Amino acid sequence: MHAPLSPRPLSIAAAGPLKGEVTVPGDKSISHRSLMFAGLAIGTSRIRGLLEGEDVLATAAAMRAMGATIERREDGEWRVAGVGVGGLLQPNTALDMGNSGTSTRLLMGLVASHPITATFTGDASLSKRPMARVIEPLSRMGADFTASPGDRLPLTMRGLCPAVPIEYELPVASAQVKSAVLLAGLNTPGITRVIERVPTRDHSERMLRGFGADLNVEGEVVSIRGEAELRAQDIDVPGDPSSAGFWMVAASIVPGSDVTIRNVLMNPTRTGLIAALRLMGASIEALGTRDVGGEAVADLRVRHAPLSAIEVPPDLAPSMIDEYPVLFVAAAFAKGHTVARGAHELRVKESDRIAAMAAALGLAGVRVEEHEDGLSIEGRDGEPLVGTGGARVASLLDHRIAMAMAVAGMHAARPVAIDDAAPIATSYPGFIATAQALGAQPTWLDA
């Protein structure tokens, strides 16, 4: 099983304007997929800008365990020699997914149509997350599952080869479930179809086509022709918009701030937070928009601006589901009453992010009302938070809760203390160092 990290409590309070340039880690969604698809391709792929957080490293370890050769060079470039579609090998030990739901669900899709058996394990947080939404379609394709109670990890699955192509309508908007079915379809004879009524992030579709898969999108239907042959690619991973979101909000709420975030992915299925913040009055300027490997990329200049409350349009939810915690922080500093709903999926993330953020903001002096699918937040009209008064916010082993509340502390009259910031390393190992470089003053506390 995954060994838990020792808790690292953190304290942060206002320290003046944030100024400077930031390069955020490579996009997590693209990093996961680049390792998986390169691991299934013929030839050697080169990947630059890969996010080297624990979640992505869990994907790398799992692909190695199933036969891919994956090496990191001293210059930071990764080389992946793939096994070919259908070539995954039986892993000798359980696949430890750490905290990564993306790794787990997408790799389950890969295994589903290979004649191998794999056991997935994870840390305490991941082991609480239900896998039923992936088990259901993959079972229809012929995979067999033995899961822990509640369809949770640890979980053992036996793939079927050849698997059965299906047409599957997503019951909830989920890029992970969509991707899992498409990846199972890679090694399945015939055509596998996924119907999504609400668009979700489309990195799998873009990248699979780039690797040579026969994949088509017509309206709400994504179809893939199986028994594909993927060809090795050179990949430049753009900056993660979810990681950039913390600095967008921080620069927006801290008076006098002026921060430029370099090389940010601007895929339209990922820019919901930018749209929401602009509706609130944020000053976010996209500079030098360009195309990198089929994805739009830009530099973002964000300057402090007074924010006003909004009712967040529900259709933005799929394009910013991971950014809701830091959007809640922005709402805490806006003028008026913000309603941010339409985010049921937050209940089953690394933590119940709705309940976790309601408790965290409440502890820091913000008036919050919790709904089944989001929060209503009474903003402080630009005034600093009062801090947590010596009490510590519960991060619940969730990296986004820890980072969102660290941002909240950057405009707090007294410190905001977080019980454990160690989980930040799962997605953004350099977050604390970047905060310091911009002028924030985080302080590690005794556990």
Side-chain angles (χ1 to χ4, degrees), residues 12 18 20-25 240-254 257-262 264 273 277 284 300-304 326 403 406-407 410 428 430-440 442:
I12 191 163
L18 304 173
E21 294 188 359
V22 174
T23 301
V24 294
D240 191 323
S242 299
S243 297
F246 296 106
W247 307 121
M248 289 183 223
V249 172
S252 296
I253 65 175
V254 178
S257 295
D258 187 347
V259 174
T260 298
I261 313 161
R262 297 289 182 200
V264 180
L273 179 66
L277 290 174
I284 303 174
L300 299 177
R301 185 180 183 188
V302 188
R303 285 170 278 192
H304 171 256
V326 81
M403 286 186 280
V407 169
M410 293 176 195
Y428 198 161
F431 176 81
I432 300 300
T434 300
Q436 291 171 318
L438 291 174

Side-chain angles (χ1 to χ4, degrees), residues 9-31:
L10 182 77
S11 172
I12 191 163
L18 304 173
K19 291 184 180 289
E21 294 188 359
V22 174
T23 301
V24 294
D27 181 72
K28 189 157 71 156
S29 296
I30 292 177
S31 292

Side-chain angles (χ1 to χ4, degrees), residues 97 141 159 167 180 200 253 341 347 403 437:
M97 298 290 94
M141 298 181 78
E167 182 173 291
T200 62
I253 65 175
R341 303 189 65 166
R347 294 284 186 189
M403 286 186 280

